[in-house]
């Protein structure tokens, strides 16, 4: 399976279990790896035979900016479902970063990574 990756998609969302997270929101960063067969698109040099990653990026940002959830696990699941709606995408790895998570000790990042497929 071939891979198309989008790294560092940024969007502001209001996800989290604490009222401050819901009220103020924060930046979330999403990395995606889409699994698909790119041979038909490459053979015909045809965008219609692959995934339009620009559209995927816009849809993922809309999910992050959309309805709040408590857990980034839930957010990752929603993003995966959105990606799998694209016909050629057979598998997706989603990594959601929450660099401003409300943690009381110094840290660089918090991430949840999931892999989902059509099977």
């Amino acid at each position: 399976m071939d891979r198309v990756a989008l790294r560092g998609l940024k969007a502001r969302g209001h996800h989290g279990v604490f009222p401050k997270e819901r009220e103020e929101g924060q930046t979330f960063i999403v990395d995606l790896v889409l699994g698909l067969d790119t041979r038909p698109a490459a053979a015909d040099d045809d965008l219609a035979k692959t995934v339009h990653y620009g559209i995927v990026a816009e849809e993922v940002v809309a999910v992050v900016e959309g309805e709040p959830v408590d857990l980034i696990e839930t957010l990752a699941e929603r993003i995966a479902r959105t990606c799998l709606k694209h016909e050629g995408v057979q598998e997706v790895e989603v990594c959601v970063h929450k660099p401003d998570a409300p943690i009381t000790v110094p840290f660089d990042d918090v991430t949840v990574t999931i892999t989902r497929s059509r099977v």
Side-chain angles (χ1 to χ4, degrees), residues 12 38 76:
R12 189 156 187 86
T38 63

Side-chain angles (χ1 to χ4, degrees), residues 26-43:
Q26 60 193 289
T27 298
F28 293 84
I29 302 166
V30 178
D31 299 324
L32 301 173
V33 180
L34 307 171
L36 63 151
D37 183 358
T38 63
R39 289 176 291 194

Side-chain angles (χ1 to χ4, degrees), residues 24-81:
E24 295 178 12
Q26 60 193 289
T27 298
F28 293 84
I29 302 166
V30 178
D31 299 324
L32 301 173
V33 180
L34 307 171
L36 63 151
D37 183 358
T38 63
R39 289 176 291 194
D44 295 337
D45 199 28
D46 186 354
L47 176 61
K49 294 182 178 179
T50 187
V51 64
H52 191 310
Y53 51 78
I55 291 173
V56 172
E58 291 171 358
E59 291 173 351
V60 168
V61 165
V63 171
V64 175
E65 292 175 343
E67 182 185 346
V69 295
D70 288 344
L71 304 176
I72 58 175
E73 291 87 343
T74 307
L75 182 59
E77 199 64 49
R78 286 184 177 178
I79 292 168
R81 274 185 270 149

Side-chain angles (χ1 to χ4, degrees), residues 11 15 20 23 35 38 42 50 52-53 74 79 81-82 86 96 103-104 108 118:
H15 312 289
K20 184 177 178 181
E23 292 163 14
T38 63
T50 187
H52 191 310
Y53 51 78
T74 307
I79 292 168
R81 274 185 270 149
T82 297
H86 290 266
V96 176
I103 297 175
T104 60
D108 289 329
R118 292 182 181 276

Side-chain angles (χ1 to χ4, degrees), residues 32 75-85 92 94 114-116:
L32 301 173
L75 182 59
E77 199 64 49
R78 286 184 177 178
I79 292 168
R81 274 185 270 149
T82 297
C83 294
L84 288 170
K85 287 180 183 175
V92 63
V94 177
I114 66 170
T115 302
R116 299 293 181 264

